[in-house]
Structure formats: structure tokens, C-alpha cells
Amino acid sequence: MSRLKSKRGMVLSLAIVILVTLLILGVSVVTMGTSNLDLALSQLNVEKSYQVAEAGLVYTYNDLAKNGLRDAEGKLVARKTYSLPDSLAVAEVELYENPTGSTPQPDGCPARLPQHYIYVVSTGQLKDGQRVLMEHKVGAMLCQGDGGMMS
């Protein structure tokens, strides 16, 4: 009888060890899957914010071609915000111009700007309410030709 109790105790101990091992393995698989999904979501947000920044450049280019970003005196508007159809996506655009080709360059301009060129910096943001989830910046230098904008 004591031998039977000893075997039962050993089988019970072995069953507990196997169950704990399976539990640890299951938790590891779930953790790996969750981290892979988080990484994929992060990469998706990076790509979306880049696309939003590029959309800001396109909207700016179109507005510049129509002279829609100049005030009554003909001066270039310094900042413009475009809310994209997706309410969580916003493109904030900064514009720099050097109309006379003077040296000093416009304040804050990240590039050396020749005369008759406009430098556009577009910041694409994905938001969750007021919180910015991801942000990406792109820039472009545009030439003002005789008949309007040229890229």
C-alpha cells in the first residue's frame, strides 16, 4: 500500500511539473505574439505618418500653384495645418521663402535657400485625441517659375 501511495505521489508531482511547463510555454507564446503585433502596429503608424507628411507637401504644392498661401501683400504664409479626411491625421506645414536671394537665410530654414525657391517642411502626425502617436517630417524645395510653381 505504501508503494502505491509513493507511485501516486510521484505521478502527481510529475503531472504538476508538466502542467507548470505547459503554462510557461503558453505564456511565452502569447507574449511573443503580442510583441509581434505591437511591432507591426508601430511600423504601420510610421508608414502612415510618412504618408500624411507627404500629403501635406502635395496640398501645399497645390495651394502654392493657385497662390492660395499668400496674404494680401503677396507674402508667403509661414504655417499651414491640413486636417486629412481621417480625423486622426494632421499635416502641419512650415514654409520658408527667400524672395530677394539675400544672405541671411530665413530664420529656422533647415536648408540653404536660393532666390525664388520655397522650402516646405511637412510634419505628418497620427493622433489619438490630443496625444501624438507617431510623427514624421519630410521636406521639399520648390522653384517658383514664371508661370507658377515648379518642383
Side-chain angles (χ1 to χ4, degrees):
M1 187 96 148
S2 69
R3 200 173 214 195
L4 188 57
K5 284 184 180 179
S6 174
K7 283 185 180 181
R8 283 185 187 165
M10 199 167 155
V11 168
L12 183 61
S13 298
L14 185 61
I16 290 174
V17 168
I18 289 173
L19 284 175
V20 168
T21 304
L22 288 174
L23 178 68
I24 291 172
L25 184 63
V27 168
S28 298
V29 167
V30 168
T31 303
M32 280 179 30
T34 302
S35 66
N36 284 343
L37 288 174
D38 287 343
L39 179 63
L41 181 61
S42 176
Q43 289 173 340
L44 179 67
N45 284 341
V46 166
E47 181 62 29
K48 278 185 178 179
S49 65
Y50 181 75
Q51 290 172 355
V52 169
E54 285 184 327
L57 287 178
V58 171
Y59 285 143
T60 302
Y61 181 83
N62 289 335
D63 283 350
L64 285 169
K66 298 178 218 170
N67 283 328
L69 292 177
R70 296 203 178 266
D71 61 17
E73 298 172 3
K75 290 187 178 181
L76 190 66
V77 174
R79 290 181 172 271
K80 174 84 175 170
T81 300
Y82 296 99
S83 294
L84 276 67
D86 178 359
S87 62
L88 303 176
V90 175
E92 294 180 355
V93 178
E94 298 174 58
L95 299 113
Y96 302 94
E97 181 178 35
N98 193 0
T100 61
S102 64
T103 343
Q105 292 292 305
D107 287 339
C109 185
R112 180 134 175 81
L113 199 54
Q115 186 176 5
H116 302 299
Y117 278 80
I118 296 173
Y119 192 77
V120 181
V121 177
S122 178
T123 304
Q125 296 179 338
L126 292 180
K127 293 186 175 186
D128 181 17
Q130 294 298 322
R131 190 176 69 121
V132 176
L133 298 174
M134 191 64 64
E135 184 175 272
H136 200 92
K137 287 188 178 193
V138 294
M141 192 174 295
L142 306 173
C143 178
Q144 302 176 72
D146 292 333
M149 293 302 302
M150 299 183 297
S151 59

